[in-house]
């Protein structure tokens, strides 16, 4: 009889653990919104592309869909892009020069742009965290540097969100 009770208790504990992990493994639909200047895109076309690339980050707890900036969803990730000036200034050559050769010439001709992104996470309408990132990209849907930048910033945002301690503080009784 004691063995039977132990088996039932073990099954009950296994069920509690399984139900808890299944509840925590639920997928949340999160809308992706983009503002600012993303090289190679009209900003209205950026959100569907971003949502697809962010899915490549392998975050199974979020289902990423394009969002509408005019009607922000309560669960959303807001990307704000900015094209940054180069440290040498904004003046760049846009025509080949006889003395310029090699990869630096491509840089000077303006084919790469330094961009920054501020990525904010909102869940249930409440701000959660922000990630800041910057990199040099060509721009456009086929730019591998831009794709890696988006995936890297998405993982940074997820890591920042998981680092938040959501347990209520225990101040003890006084």
């Amino acid at each position: 009889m004691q063995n039977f009770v132990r088996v039932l208790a073990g099954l009950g504990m296994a069920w509690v653990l399984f139900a808890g992990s299944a509840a925590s493994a639920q997928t949340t639909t999160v809308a992706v919104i983009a503002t600012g200047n993303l090289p190679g895109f009209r900003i209205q076309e950026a959100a569907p592309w971003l949502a697809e690339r962010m899915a490549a980050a392998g975050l199974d707890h979020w289902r990423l869909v394009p969002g509408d900036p005019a009607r922000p969803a309560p669960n959303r990730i807001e990307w704000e892009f900015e094209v940054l000036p180069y440290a040498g200034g904004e003046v760049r050559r846009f025509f080949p020069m006889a003395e310029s050769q090699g990869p630096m010439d491509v840089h000077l001709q303006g084919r790469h742009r330094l961009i920054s992104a501020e990525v904010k996470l909102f869940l249930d309408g409440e701000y959660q965290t922000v990630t800041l990132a910057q990199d040099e990209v060509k721009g456009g849907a086929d730019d591998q540097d831009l794709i890696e930048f988006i995936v890297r910033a998405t993982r940074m945002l997820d890591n920042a969100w998981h680092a938040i301690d959501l347990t209520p503080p225990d101040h003890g009784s006084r």
Side-chain angles (χ1 to χ4, degrees):
M1 182 68 167
Q2 286 180 343
N3 287 340
F4 181 70
V5 172
R6 286 182 185 162
V7 168
L8 283 179
L11 288 174
M13 182 60 85
W15 173 254
V16 168
L17 292 173
F18 174 74
S21 67
S24 66
Q26 285 184 328
T27 302
T28 303
T29 300
V30 179
V32 177
I33 298 173
T35 59
N37 185 6
L38 180 59
F41 291 91
R42 287 187 219 156
I43 204 63
Q44 309 89 301
E45 300 166 351
W49 183 85
L50 283 169
E52 190 175 318
R53 295 306 165 268
M54 290 172 70
L59 308 176
D60 57 354
H61 50 279
W62 289 339
R63 186 174 73 84
L64 301 159
V65 297
D68 181 7
R71 293 189 336 248
N75 297 330
R76 67 185 181 277
I77 295 175
E78 296 179 355
W79 289 81
E80 185 177 338
F81 293 98
E82 182 180 355
V83 177
L84 301 174
Y86 288 102
E90 277 294 309
V91 177
R92 290 178 256 150
R93 295 180 279 177
F94 292 97
F95 53 89
M97 303 280 289
E99 71 276 2
S100 64
Q101 297 176 0
M104 188 60 174
D105 183 47
V106 171
H107 175 77
L108 291 173
Q109 290 181 32
R111 293 189 185 148
H112 287 82
R113 296 177 178 103
L114 184 62
I115 64 168
S116 73
E118 181 178 272
V119 191
K120 293 180 185 175
L121 174 64
F122 293 84
L123 295 175
D124 296 325
E126 293 186 22
Y127 167 80
Q128 301 294 313
T129 188
V130 65
T131 294
L132 306 172
Q134 65 182 21
D135 205 347
E136 188 174 293
V137 300
K138 291 180 197 174
D142 296 329
D143 181 8
Q144 194 60 39
D145 292 332
L146 180 57
I147 292 168
E148 291 171 8
F149 172 72
I150 298 302
V151 169
R152 188 170 51 252
T154 301
R155 288 183 180 144
M156 287 172 29
L157 181 70
D158 185 57
N159 289 339
W161 178 61
H162 284 295
I164 298 171
D165 184 6
L166 299 176
T167 58
D170 182 19
H171 298 290
S173 59
R174 292 182 188 219

